[in-house]
mmCIF file of all heavy atoms in Angstrom:
data_model
loop_
_atom_site.group_PDB
_atom_site.id
_atom_site.type_symbol
_atom_site.label_atom_id
_atom_site.label_comp_id
_atom_site.label_asym_id
_atom_site.label_seq_id
_atom_site.Cartn_x
_atom_site.Cartn_y
_atom_site.Cartn_z
ATOM 1 N N VAL D 313 -38.041 -15.501 -0.666
ATOM 2 C CA VAL D 313 -39.158 -14.587 -0.913
ATOM 3 C C VAL D 313 -39.273 -14.377 -2.419
ATOM 4 O O VAL D 313 -38.392 -13.783 -3.037
ATOM 5 C CB VAL D 313 -38.940 -13.236 -0.193
ATOM 6 C CG1 VAL D 313 -40.223 -12.411 -0.233
ATOM 7 C CG2 VAL D 313 -38.481 -13.446 1.242
ATOM 8 N N ARG D 314 -40.391 -14.822 -3.005
ATOM 9 C CA ARG D 314 -40.504 -14.855 -4.470
ATOM 10 C C ARG D 314 -41.430 -13.809 -5.056
ATOM 11 O O ARG D 314 -41.439 -13.605 -6.265
ATOM 12 C CB ARG D 314 -40.982 -16.247 -4.903
ATOM 13 C CG ARG D 314 -40.085 -17.386 -4.458
ATOM 14 C CD ARG D 314 -40.703 -18.736 -4.711
ATOM 15 N NE ARG D 314 -41.928 -18.920 -3.917
ATOM 16 C CZ ARG D 314 -42.646 -20.030 -3.925
ATOM 17 N NH1 ARG D 314 -42.274 -21.053 -4.679
ATOM 18 N NH2 ARG D 314 -43.728 -20.131 -3.182
ATOM 19 N N ASN D 315 -42.214 -13.127 -4.222
ATOM 20 C CA ASN D 315 -43.178 -12.165 -4.751
ATOM 21 C C ASN D 315 -43.692 -11.267 -3.625
ATOM 22 O O ASN D 315 -43.350 -11.470 -2.452
ATOM 23 C CB ASN D 315 -44.345 -12.894 -5.446
ATOM 24 C CG ASN D 315 -44.953 -13.974 -4.563
ATOM 25 O OD1 ASN D 315 -45.340 -13.716 -3.423
ATOM 26 N ND2 ASN D 315 -45.022 -15.197 -5.082
ATOM 27 N N ASP D 316 -44.526 -10.296 -3.997
ATOM 28 C CA ASP D 316 -45.060 -9.346 -3.014
ATOM 29 C C ASP D 316 -45.897 -10.030 -1.940
ATOM 30 O O ASP D 316 -45.859 -9.640 -0.772
ATOM 31 C CB ASP D 316 -45.900 -8.278 -3.714
ATOM 32 C CG ASP D 316 -45.058 -7.263 -4.465
ATOM 33 O OD1 ASP D 316 -43.875 -7.101 -4.125
ATOM 34 O OD2 ASP D 316 -45.588 -6.624 -5.400
ATOM 35 N N ASP D 317 -46.674 -11.035 -2.322
ATOM 36 C CA ASP D 317 -47.532 -11.710 -1.353
ATOM 37 C C ASP D 317 -46.704 -12.383 -0.257
ATOM 38 O O ASP D 317 -47.022 -12.279 0.937
ATOM 39 C CB ASP D 317 -48.416 -12.748 -2.048
ATOM 40 C CG ASP D 317 -49.504 -12.109 -2.902
ATOM 41 O OD1 ASP D 317 -49.803 -10.918 -2.683
ATOM 42 O OD2 ASP D 317 -50.044 -12.805 -3.780
ATOM 43 N N GLU D 318 -45.646 -13.066 -0.661
ATOM 44 C CA GLU D 318 -44.796 -13.717 0.328
ATOM 45 C C GLU D 318 -44.061 -12.686 1.179
ATOM 46 O O GLU D 318 -43.876 -12.882 2.387
ATOM 47 C CB GLU D 318 -43.797 -14.643 -0.368
ATOM 48 C CG GLU D 318 -44.474 -15.855 -0.991
ATOM 49 C CD GLU D 318 -43.511 -16.783 -1.686
ATOM 50 O OE1 GLU D 318 -42.329 -16.409 -1.865
ATOM 51 O OE2 GLU D 318 -43.938 -17.896 -2.052
ATOM 52 N N ASN D 319 -43.667 -11.589 0.560
ATOM 53 C CA ASN D 319 -43.011 -10.530 1.319
ATOM 54 C C ASN D 319 -43.947 -9.958 2.383
ATOM 55 O O ASN D 319 -43.539 -9.711 3.520
ATOM 56 C CB ASN D 319 -42.549 -9.419 0.372
ATOM 57 C CG ASN D 319 -41.463 -8.553 0.966
ATOM 58 O OD1 ASN D 319 -40.321 -8.985 1.098
ATOM 59 N ND2 ASN D 319 -41.807 -7.321 1.325
ATOM 60 N N GLU D 320 -45.210 -9.759 2.024
ATOM 61 C CA GLU D 320 -46.190 -9.245 2.982
ATOM 62 C C GLU D 320 -46.427 -10.235 4.115
ATOM 63 O O GLU D 320 -46.613 -9.848 5.271
ATOM 64 C CB GLU D 320 -47.509 -8.936 2.268
ATOM 65 C CG GLU D 320 -47.482 -7.678 1.433
ATOM 66 C CD GLU D 320 -47.256 -6.434 2.286
ATOM 67 O OE1 GLU D 320 -47.934 -6.286 3.330
ATOM 68 O OE2 GLU D 320 -46.391 -5.622 1.927
ATOM 69 N N GLU D 321 -46.421 -11.530 3.784
ATOM 70 C CA GLU D 321 -46.639 -12.555 4.808
ATOM 71 C C GLU D 321 -45.508 -12.543 5.838
ATOM 72 O O GLU D 321 -45.743 -12.621 7.049
ATOM 73 C CB GLU D 321 -46.739 -13.930 4.148
ATOM 74 C CG GLU D 321 -47.140 -15.033 5.106
ATOM 75 C CD GLU D 321 -47.384 -16.357 4.407
ATOM 76 O OE1 GLU D 321 -47.498 -16.368 3.167
ATOM 77 O OE2 GLU D 321 -47.448 -17.379 5.118
ATOM 78 N N ILE D 322 -44.282 -12.440 5.356
ATOM 79 C CA ILE D 322 -43.146 -12.384 6.276
ATOM 80 C C ILE D 322 -43.155 -11.082 7.062
ATOM 81 O O ILE D 322 -42.878 -11.060 8.270
ATOM 82 C CB ILE D 322 -41.827 -12.547 5.497
ATOM 83 C CG1 ILE D 322 -41.769 -13.927 4.848
ATOM 84 C CG2 ILE D 322 -40.624 -12.339 6.417
ATOM 85 C CD1 ILE D 322 -40.588 -14.119 3.938
ATOM 86 N N LYS D 323 -43.475 -9.994 6.390
ATOM 87 C CA LYS D 323 -43.581 -8.689 7.064
ATOM 88 C C LYS D 323 -44.529 -8.774 8.258
ATOM 89 O O LYS D 323 -44.249 -8.223 9.329
ATOM 90 C CB LYS D 323 -44.069 -7.643 6.063
ATOM 91 C CG LYS D 323 -44.417 -6.299 6.679
ATOM 92 C CD LYS D 323 -45.012 -5.373 5.623
ATOM 93 C CE LYS D 323 -45.586 -4.117 6.242
ATOM 94 N NZ LYS D 323 -46.209 -3.236 5.215
ATOM 95 N N SER D 324 -45.654 -9.458 8.105
ATOM 96 C CA SER D 324 -46.622 -9.565 9.196
ATOM 97 C C SER D 324 -46.058 -10.337 10.385
ATOM 98 O O SER D 324 -46.466 -10.121 11.525
ATOM 99 C CB SER D 324 -47.906 -10.237 8.699
ATOM 100 O OG SER D 324 -47.686 -11.618 8.410
ATOM 101 N N LEU D 325 -45.098 -11.231 10.126
ATOM 102 C CA LEU D 325 -44.496 -12.017 11.197
ATOM 103 C C LEU D 325 -43.507 -11.207 12.021
ATOM 104 O O LEU D 325 -43.290 -11.492 13.202
ATOM 105 C CB LEU D 325 -43.784 -13.246 10.620
ATOM 106 C CG LEU D 325 -44.661 -14.310 9.970
ATOM 107 C CD1 LEU D 325 -43.794 -15.405 9.369
ATOM 108 C CD2 LEU D 325 -45.633 -14.912 10.982
ATOM 109 N N ILE D 326 -42.886 -10.199 11.395
ATOM 110 C CA ILE D 326 -41.864 -9.443 12.110
ATOM 111 C C ILE D 326 -42.329 -8.027 12.468
ATOM 112 O O ILE D 326 -41.535 -7.222 12.926
ATOM 113 C CB ILE D 326 -40.558 -9.370 11.302
ATOM 114 C CG1 ILE D 326 -40.763 -8.625 9.985
ATOM 115 C CG2 ILE D 326 -40.005 -10.746 11.037
ATOM 116 C CD1 ILE D 326 -39.478 -8.456 9.193
ATOM 117 N N SER D 327 -43.608 -7.746 12.283
ATOM 118 C CA SER D 327 -44.112 -6.394 12.506
ATOM 119 C C SER D 327 -43.949 -5.943 13.953
ATOM 120 O O SER D 327 -43.880 -4.751 14.236
ATOM 121 C CB SER D 327 -45.580 -6.290 12.086
ATOM 122 O OG SER D 327 -46.375 -7.175 12.849
ATOM 123 N N ARG D 328 -43.891 -6.880 14.888
ATOM 124 C CA ARG D 328 -43.749 -6.512 16.291
ATOM 125 C C ARG D 328 -42.279 -6.477 16.727
ATOM 126 O O ARG D 328 -41.977 -6.134 17.849
ATOM 127 C CB ARG D 328 -44.513 -7.510 17.164
ATOM 128 C CG ARG D 328 -46.018 -7.460 16.947
ATOM 129 C CD ARG D 328 -46.719 -8.447 17.858
ATOM 130 N NE ARG D 328 -48.163 -8.445 17.655
ATOM 131 C CZ ARG D 328 -49.007 -9.237 18.291
ATOM 132 N NH1 ARG D 328 -48.546 -10.105 19.182
ATOM 133 N NH2 ARG D 328 -50.303 -9.177 18.041
#
Side-chain angles (χ1 to χ4, degrees):
V313 191
R314 302 171 296 182
N315 51 54
D316 286 337
D317 289 341
E318 291 180 350
N319 200 72
E320 285 296 313
E321 187 174 346
I322 296 173
K323 171 185 170 182
S324 70
L325 293 176
I326 63 177
S327 61
R328 294 181 181 178

